[in-house]
Amino acid sequence: MEKVRIGAVVAEFNYDITQMMLKLAEEHAKFLGSEITKVVPVPGVFDMPLAIKKLLEDDKIDAVITLGAVIEGATDHDQIVAQHASRKIADLALEYDKPVALGISGPSMTRLEAHQRVDYAKRAVEAAVKMYRRLNKL
């Protein structure tokens, strides 16, 4: 089975959570016979699209995963960040014909809920690998 080369874009905001997510993602990629070959840290989830685009332009990257946690605050800021980032992330996958998997938890969650959802990283890796392999069969 072909090794899928994955790029990871990781939010630094909520660093304690996103670093656990990255560790899980790396372990799960290895378990699936793939590898995270490039990690790009970005300040927050809203800042991900440009880094994702740069990874998608790289011929040595087959798929991209996004890792972040959007935690509820006093305003609706978390809703806006998650909605706009996820929309642009989906657009980039279509524009570049490469899988981009959403490993972002939230919005509307507490810090405790974010810790409980670090496994979203494994789901993102799983989705990226499956999509890459399935699309290559078309």
Side-chain angles (χ1 to χ4, degrees):
M1 202 175 318
E2 185 179 0
K3 179 184 258 187
V4 181
R5 301 166 299 178
I6 302 168
V9 178
V10 185
E12 294 172 325
F13 204 77
N14 299 310
Y15 185 84
D16 57 322
I17 297 164
T18 61
Q19 288 308 296
M20 285 190 289
M21 293 175 88
L22 178 58
K23 180 76 172 151
L24 277 174
E26 289 170 332
E27 291 170 1
H28 198 58
K30 189 174 182 179
F31 173 76
L32 295 174
S34 295
E35 181 182 7
I36 294 177
T37 57
K38 200 176 277 190
V39 176
V40 180
V42 295
V45 168
F46 191 79
D47 307 299
M48 288 183 168
L50 183 58
I52 293 166
K53 180 178 179 181
K54 292 294 184 187
L55 287 173
L56 291 171
E57 291 171 345
D58 186 340
D59 291 336
K60 295 177 185 157
I61 298 293
D62 300 316
V64 175
I65 62 168
T66 59
L67 303 176
V70 182
I71 295 173
E72 186 173 41
T75 67
D76 287 340
H77 181 75
D78 61 314
Q79 300 285 335
I80 294 165
V81 166
Q83 181 180 36
H84 288 282
S86 62
R87 179 62 214 190
K88 189 58 185 172
I89 290 166
D91 290 345
L92 285 165
L94 293 172
E95 181 180 342
Y96 285 89
D97 284 329
K98 289 185 183 181
V100 181
L102 196 62
I104 300 169
S105 59
S108 300
M109 67 177 181
T110 65
R111 178 166 281 284
L112 177 60
E113 290 169 329
H115 276 283
Q116 294 168 342
R117 295 177 184 164
V118 295
D119 68 327
Y120 279 34
K122 288 172 64 175
R123 295 179 190 180
V125 171
E126 187 93 22
V129 169
K130 282 181 179 179
M131 283 296 292
Y132 176 78
R133 290 180 176 156
R134 289 176 185 173
L135 291 173
N136 277 348
K137 291 180 182 179
L138 298 177

